[in-house]
Amino acid sequence: MANTILTPDMITAEAMRVFENQLVLTRNVNRQYDASFAQEGAKIGTALRIRLPDRALVTDGAAIGAQDESQQYTTLNVSSQKHVALSFTSAELTMSIDRFSELIIQPRVSQLASTVDADLANFYKYAGQSVGTPGTTPATSAVLLAAGQKLDEAAVPRGQRYMCVNPAANAGLVEGMKGLFNPVSTVTKQFKSGLMQEGILGLDEMNMSQSIATHTTGSRLSGATVATTVSTQGATTLVITTSGAASQTVKLGDVFTVAACNAVNPQTRQSVGALYQFVVLADATASTNTLTVTVAAMYDATQALATMDALPISGAAVTWVGSASTQYPQNLTYYKDAVTFATADLILPKGMDMASRMNHNGISMRFIRGYDIDNDRMVSRLDVLYGWAVLRPTGIVRTWG
């Protein structure tokens, strides 16, 4: 009986299955904008402007309180093309798809999925909300509950909340929480898999990923204060007086607090009783003894877009999270709609020996094989073109390790 030759569509479908199964962080984020890029021939740089939910003040009395629309937008750019090369002979195309997958597809595609997850894990850099102790691996239910508290205080809906941790945090949490009163089925799954699994302390799912990012803090020194009072609503820069060398730095993703600036609930605009956690949105280096830091727009409690109860004032103490120039794992708790991820349809070039593109559950993947005339060989590759964006930073909580 003649052997069946594997087709390009069969190879693409199997690669897609492996890729989806290997994704961890990416599997549980918003994917609703995939269809916006479902067009043949999408290129790096294709962008989509996304409108965010409006916010307004509630007014007292019978008279209407007309308000200007405070509409916010963010941009989703398809800016990353990742690919992996596949090496196989024509003879290997006569294998069963399971055997072909085991020997050729899985070893490469799993690396592709991990790379995409590792890229997405950088969304931590745009969120300031943090729990845990920098330098200490989380190992108790307290960090999970603290992360949930942050999301509650930020008016993030219950449900569709996920946590993704690195191997060290996973081991610490499974060990530290094994004595909790959990359903027998949950404990059994944890014991057998070594993972926290589903339905844990308000989380739909808790996963482990080796792609969790590590943040290296800037060389900023302690003892900093606010140099200039912020008086403009929506301001995005904060000038800080520093001590020591003029070359000290802050890094994208650094977190700090300012004395007397408490976070507010975005619905009630009431203080939550804890300092607002600023996040640095661009690398910066000190000039003489001052440092100009880019942050998210600042609004006090009188504004529809309130983020804190009072704007920073001159002389207020600045406190950094973590030590200077130190690496810390950034385990993540997040609401599904806080981050969006989208893939785009790459062009299928003409004249290929094999060519296939497939879209499943919003993920578009392309497989092509062509002849390399310079080196007299057949060359194969699998590609994904994608982009991601943070839609709601308040739906993300970082658990420092």
Side-chain angles (χ1 to χ4, degrees), residues 144-154 158 161 272 274 397:
L144 275 70
L145 295 170
Q149 177 185 344
K150 290 282 187 185
L151 294 178
D152 289 339
E153 290 171 346
R158 287 275 181 165
R161 295 182 179 186
V272 301
V397 179

Side-chain angles (χ1 to χ4, degrees), residues 132-384:
T133 302
T136 300
T137 299
T140 70
S141 60
V143 291
L144 275 70
L145 295 170
Q149 177 185 344
K150 290 282 187 185
L151 294 178
D152 289 339
E153 290 171 346
V156 174
R158 287 275 181 165
Q160 294 190 315
R161 295 182 179 186
Y162 302 92
M163 187 174 191
C164 191
V165 300
N166 66 1
N170 179 73
L173 288 167
V174 172
E175 169 63 23
M177 296 172 60
K178 66 183 181 182
L180 293 181
F181 292 101
N182 288 325
V184 173
S185 61
T186 300
V187 175
T188 300
K189 290 179 181 178
Q190 291 171 1
F191 180 79
K192 289 182 176 180
S193 67
L195 299 170
M196 291 302 294
Q197 299 289 334
E198 302 173 352
I200 305 294
L201 298 178
L203 299 170
D204 282 20
E205 191 176 300
M206 178 176 168
N207 295 303
M208 183 276 292
S209 174
Q210 299 172 32
S211 298
I212 285 294
T214 297
H215 178 68
T216 302
T217 58
S219 61
R220 67 293 193 285
L221 302 176
S222 59
T225 58
V226 175
T228 306
T229 296
V230 176
S231 57
T232 303
Q233 301 289 343
T236 57
T237 57
L238 188 62
V239 182
I240 295 174
T241 298
T242 65
S243 58
S247 59
Q248 61 185 285
T249 62
V250 291
K251 295 295 183 181
L252 170 65
D254 276 355
V255 178
F256 65 96
T257 58
V258 174
C261 293
N262 288 329
V264 297
N265 181 294
Q267 300 293 337
T268 65
R269 298 171 184 80
Q270 299 295 310
S271 169
V272 301
L275 292 174
Y276 176 80
Q277 293 175 303
F278 293 81
V279 62
V280 176
L281 296 180
D283 293 353
T285 301
S287 174
T288 60
N289 68 332
T290 61
L291 189 61
T292 301
V293 180
T294 302
V295 297
M298 296 174 280
Y299 297 93
D300 67 23
T302 66
Q303 305 297 306
L305 299 175
T307 55
M308 58 197 73
D309 60 355
L311 298 177
I313 62 172
S314 177
V318 173
T319 303
W320 302 100
V321 175
S323 301
S325 304
T326 305
Q327 292 186 334
Y328 298 104
Q330 300 295 301
N331 303 295
L332 295 163
T333 303
Y334 57 98
Y335 176 56
K336 182 175 182 177
D337 288 342
V339 182
T340 191
F341 175 91
T343 60
D345 290 344
L346 283 162
I347 191 171
L348 282 179
K350 304 296 184 181
M352 293 291 104
D353 173 62
M354 289 183 167
S356 176
R357 184 180 61 228
M358 189 165 293
N359 193 303
H360 184 257
N361 289 337
I363 295 176
S364 180
M365 177 175 283
R366 181 187 68 180
F367 165 69
I368 54 177
R369 186 173 84 160
Y371 178 65
D372 178 2
I373 192 172
D374 292 332
N375 297 291
D376 192 24
R377 63 178 182 177
M378 302 298 289
V379 179
S380 306
R381 60 187 288 167
L382 281 163
D383 289 80
V384 289

Side-chain angles (χ1 to χ4, degrees), residues 19 22-27 29 44 76-83 110-126 164 209-214 252 330 332 334 339-343 384-390 396:
F19 183 75
Q22 292 293 326
L23 293 175
V24 181
L25 268 170
T26 310
R27 185 176 68 244
V29 299
I44 290 177
L76 172 58
N77 290 297
V78 173
S79 56
S80 299
Q81 181 176 350
K82 297 286 193 294
H83 75 274
S110 61
Q111 295 176 53
L112 180 61
S114 294
T115 300
V116 172
D117 259 352
D119 185 15
L120 186 68
N122 286 303
F123 71 68
Y124 82 83
K125 295 178 180 179
Y126 302 92
C164 191
S209 174
Q210 299 172 32
S211 298
I212 285 294
T214 297
L252 170 65
Q330 300 295 301
L332 295 163
Y334 57 98
V339 182
T340 191
F341 175 91
T343 60
V384 289
L385 175 61
Y386 68 92
W388 58 267
V390 174
I396 303 167

